[in-house]
Amino acid sequence: MKRILFVDDESKILDGIRRLLYTERNRWDMQFAIGGEAALQACEAGSFDVVISDMRMPGMDGATLLGHIRDRYPNTARIILSGYSEAALATRAVPVAHRFLAKPCSASSLQSTIEQVCTLQELLCAPEIRRAVGSIGELPSLSSTYLSLAQAVRDPESSISHVAEIIEDDVAMSAKVLQLVNSAFFGLAQKVTSLPGAATYLGMEVIKNLALASEAFRIFVPGSRIPQSFCESMQKHAQCTAAIAGALPLEPKTREIAVVAALLHDIGRLVLASAMPDQFCAVRALVAERKCKLYEAEEELLGTSHAEIGAYLLGLWGISSLAVEAIAHHHRPTRVPHSDLDCTVAVYLANLLAIELEAHPEGTKGLEIEESDRACLETLGVLSRMDEFRELARQSYS
Ligand SMILES: [Fe+2]
Ligand SMILES: [Fe+2]
């Protein structure tokens, strides 16, 4: 049975939730704590799969409580409940909460959110990897991008589209902005899948809060083990892959999601670099020694790859499930069935074309395709179109 803890400073609200979820009592072991201190005591008695906490509480508020839970029980999924009028307050919880729910919350959105995070917990079976991903609040951004964003949000003259362009340059910031805008907190009926759309919806004030007041964005500090060049080349590869995904002949809605998924497709590498540096270095060493593919080395050493790790984190953060699926399978797209050029195929292709162009910026027409990729492209039914795609990629790559 999944163990779920609800935290609020008002017992009336907890009683309401208990009544709302009465039908789930045989599936979920639900506990209720009045206030942060009582919640931590309950966790000490036995850890939980999910903690759902109110934001505004006297003494220890929701963000502080979830921060403690992240540090002590990283396996636990963390959800914050907050009122619509408290947008600025909720940004304080961005670094520590996986999901945001708006108050008052319906039984169905409570149920589906709890169910989604529980299902995701089963996706990554290795507990140490789940713990590492769960412990992450923020991922590293390049300091130059962070400085331009901080400057832009302080400048009364700058436009929201300019701010969106800066955020789009950075994988970690893009993921955080999409997490926040897609939270039930903003009550949108449909997921927002484009960065400009997300920035416009959140507005300058919230982004300013995210950038300056909360600790949602962390600057990458190059160490001796993980060099600055890794972070820079990762960001560049992400942008190149996103540009190529945008140039592929896709349905408009598929294109919008594919561009975001392409931008975030290797976010699992940032997760490994920042939360599991030992394993990250061991993987790099194995790739150098064997000249094998990165995901193959990861699968051998970790039992999973950056593709699943990134998908798990973004799934916890509530990013569109089509994007999450495309990211999970971007190296092994034939594991799932496809309909023509769907999001997953698009991200797989865009990544392949980006890697080719990075190695051969002078042009890739007629270039030999590796055997494993050839078999995959054939199964996906797109092998004969490679030259067409290569030309589109070349045009988008500058
Ligand atoms: Fe990858
Ligand atoms: Fe990639």
Side-chain angles (χ1 to χ4, degrees):
M1 245 208 306
K2 292 282 177 190
R3 280 172 48 82
I4 301 158
L5 177 66
F6 296 89
V7 190
D8 204 296
D9 57 313
E10 288 178 58
S11 58
K12 246 185 13 230
I13 298 214
L14 292 174
D15 289 341
I17 294 176
R18 200 193 309 258
R19 271 196 303 277
L20 218 52
L21 297 178
Y22 183 73
T23 51
E24 306 295 336
R25 70 193 183 287
N26 295 326
R27 259 177 359 123
W28 295 338
D29 173 5
M30 293 180 272
Q31 310 271 325
F32 301 84
I34 300 180
E37 293 293 347
L40 286 177
Q41 275 167 19
C43 289
E44 259 169 55
S47 69
F48 289 88
D49 296 292
V50 186
V51 172
I52 301 177
S53 172
D54 183 26
M55 178 63 199
R56 197 192 283 275
M57 298 189 289
M60 189 188 304
D61 73 359
T64 311
L65 169 67
L66 293 193
H68 287 310
I69 292 189
R70 176 187 70 188
D71 298 340
R72 296 181 203 172
Y73 313 97
N75 248 326
T76 303
R78 307 176 295 269
I79 300 171
I80 200 99
L81 263 169
S82 180
Y84 280 119
S85 56
E86 303 165 341
L89 193 67
T91 54
R92 237 175 63 66
V94 171
V96 289
H98 291 127
R99 294 279 179 112
F100 303 79
L101 286 172
K103 263 177 150 181
C105 190
S106 70
S108 64
S109 69
L110 257 179
Q111 273 161 335
S112 67
T113 305
I114 294 172
E115 225 141 77
Q116 281 168 19
V117 297
C118 287
T119 315
L120 273 163
Q121 284 173 331
E122 282 149 26
L123 184 99
L124 276 189
C125 21
E128 73 275 14
I129 295 178
R130 225 163 44 201
R131 252 196 313 278
V133 181
S135 69
I136 281 179
E138 59 292 306
L139 287 164
S141 297
L142 282 180
S143 58
S144 52
T145 319
Y146 179 79
L147 289 178
S148 349
L149 181 69
Q151 222 164 33
V153 294
R154 282 197 184 100
D155 179 357
E157 302 281 293
S158 62
S159 67
I160 198 78
S161 57
H162 173 55
V163 166
E165 276 168 24
I166 299 173
I167 294 172
E168 232 168 345
D169 275 350
D170 188 89
V171 171
M173 286 183 193
S174 300
K176 273 285 157 189
V177 164
L178 287 165
Q179 177 195 14
L180 190 60
V181 81
N182 284 315
S183 60
F185 181 69
F186 285 95
L188 291 171
Q190 271 190 333
K191 295 247 175 207
V192 177
T193 45
S194 82
L195 243 307
T200 308
Y201 192 86
L202 287 178
M204 202 62 112
E205 252 335 279
V206 171
I207 292 183
K208 194 170 174 177
N209 257 309
L210 269 183
L212 305 178
S214 78
E215 284 160 17
F217 302 146
R218 176 160 71 89
I219 295 176
F220 179 74
V221 185
S224 52
R225 305 177 68 199
I226 296 159
Q228 171 91 9
S229 60
F230 158 72
C231 203
E232 281 169 1
S233 66
M234 224 216 74
Q235 304 284 5
K236 210 165 151 251
H237 171 65
Q239 282 159 33
C240 175
T241 311
I244 295 174
L248 291 173
L250 309 170
E251 295 282 320
K253 192 66 201 167
T254 307
R255 172 174 302 122
E256 193 177 298
I257 300 172
V259 167
V260 165
L263 181 70
L264 304 178
H265 77 283
D266 277 337
I267 201 166
R269 300 195 63 201
L270 275 184
V271 173
L272 281 172
S274 58
M276 302 172 80
D278 292 340
Q279 289 89 334
F280 176 84
C281 292
V283 165
R284 273 163 75 104
L286 189 64
V287 170
E289 182 198 315
R290 293 237 191 108
K291 306 270 175 287
C292 62
K293 295 208 163 136
L294 181 81
Y295 67 90
E296 291 168 342
E298 289 167 345
E299 284 168 358
E300 181 171 330
L301 292 178
L302 311 171
T304 187
S305 80
H306 67 275
E308 292 85 7
I309 292 174
Y312 175 72
L313 177 74
L314 295 173
L316 274 182
W317 286 3
I319 307 289
S320 138
S321 59
L322 281 175
V324 168
E325 190 176 310
I327 291 165
H329 306 297
H330 78 264
H331 287 294
R332 296 190 181 278
T334 52
R335 291 191 294 206
V336 283
H338 297 285
S339 53
D340 200 29
L341 281 184
D342 62 17
C343 217
T344 304
V345 177
V347 175
Y348 165 73
L349 278 172
N351 178 53
L352 196 70
L353 294 162
I355 293 171
E356 278 188 358
L357 271 172
E358 282 156 1
H360 305 273
E362 69 288 352
T364 53
K365 200 160 174 254
L367 197 77
E368 190 82 40
I369 299 171
E370 260 186 61
E371 204 35 61
S372 57
D373 292 324
R374 175 177 286 275
C376 189
L377 290 163
E378 182 116 62
T379 311
L380 298 172
V382 290
L383 182 61
S384 59
R385 297 179 71 185
M386 271 310 269
D387 274 337
E388 171 201 342
F389 296 150
R390 278 172 165 167
E391 182 50 27
L392 292 170
R394 191 189 59 78
Q395 285 168 10
S396 74
Y397 183 78
S398 47

